[in-house]
Amino acid sequence: MPMDLQLQGCRVINPGSVGQPRDGDWRASYAIIDDGEVTIHRVEYDVQETIRDMQNAGIPDEMVNKARLVLESGGNPVGK
């Protein structure tokens, strides 16, 4: 999950994920750090093309179907 927080005196920056979203937002997530300032950004991408690429790569249907659920829904938000 994308975050920028202080934890016991240490800054923790997690830009998030492209293929394993966990916060309910299916878009790719990344962070930009500029002069100590962190901004989290989201970018749409073709999820269906990604799923087709997985199928064409010979990934077993069971794994593709599990990935499809996560990619299309944005994963399972923590605490929801």
Side-chain angles (χ1 to χ4, degrees):
M1 292 183 60
M3 68 182 80
D4 175 15
L5 55 92
Q6 290 289 329
L7 187 62
Q8 297 178 348
C10 182
R11 189 171 190 179
V12 178
I13 301 168
N14 181 345
S17 174
V18 173
Q20 291 294 313
R22 294 289 185 241
D23 63 353
D25 189 334
W26 62 271
R27 298 172 298 163
S29 179
Y30 67 96
I32 293 179
I33 304 169
D34 185 16
D35 198 26
E37 294 295 317
V38 177
T39 53
I40 304 290
H41 300 270
R42 298 288 186 150
V43 178
E44 294 184 10
Y45 70 102
D46 190 337
V47 170
Q48 297 309 313
E49 181 179 354
T50 300
I51 292 166
R52 283 190 302 275
D53 288 346
M54 292 172 69
Q55 292 167 325
N56 292 337
I59 295 173
D61 288 343
E62 181 180 342
M63 293 179 70
V64 173
N65 289 334
K66 287 180 181 180
R68 178 192 317 269
L69 290 174
V70 173
L71 294 172
E72 289 178 347
S73 72
N76 222 354
V78 173
K80 291 189 180 181

